[in-house]
Amino acid sequence: MTDANVCVGKIQPRHFPAIFGPDGDAPLDAEVVRAKFAALAEEIAAATGQPQDPRAVAEGYLRIAVANMANAIKHVSVEKGHDATRFALACFGGAGGSMLPGGR
């Protein structure tokens, strides 16, 4: 999720803690993220014959992840008879705020 959010610009690496790398003190590297999504886009294009944009691949990943999270919430609430209109949504984690509509 973090890498996909970096790729689409929802997470700015300069505002993210330096917790990566073998020693846990390296910054988030947007260039590596973009290179990895470019490689993934090429792999998908090779398998499907359809050209892929790395950012579109990352956006697709986020759409799937958000849909899965929404379905999980629906499963544990609405399908069990709870009225979700009275719920409050509490986001947490590094990308919590970016999961909300228009999140940046």
Side-chain angles (χ1 to χ4, degrees):
M1 295 293 295
T2 300
D3 286 348
N5 278 305
V6 168
C7 189
V8 301
K10 289 184 176 183
I11 290 179
Q12 301 298 314
R14 69 182 176 274
H15 299 298
F16 213 79
I19 57 172
F20 301 94
D23 297 321
D25 61 353
L28 183 57
D29 190 335
E31 290 303 316
V32 169
V33 168
R34 285 190 282 276
K36 295 291 186 177
F37 270 100
L40 182 57
E42 288 176 14
E43 186 177 328
I44 294 168
T48 64
Q50 300 287 328
Q52 299 292 319
D53 175 66
R55 183 179 168 108
V57 171
E59 288 172 349
Y61 181 91
L62 291 171
R63 280 193 303 275
I64 290 168
V66 169
N68 284 336
M69 286 185 274
N71 284 335
I73 292 168
K74 181 178 176 184
H75 177 72
V76 300
S77 60
V78 177
E79 290 178 2
K80 292 184 178 183
H82 299 287
D83 180 5
T85 61
R86 308 187 121 230
F87 290 179
L89 179 62
C91 298
F92 58 93
S98 67
M99 296 296 100
L100 300 174
R104 287 254 177 226

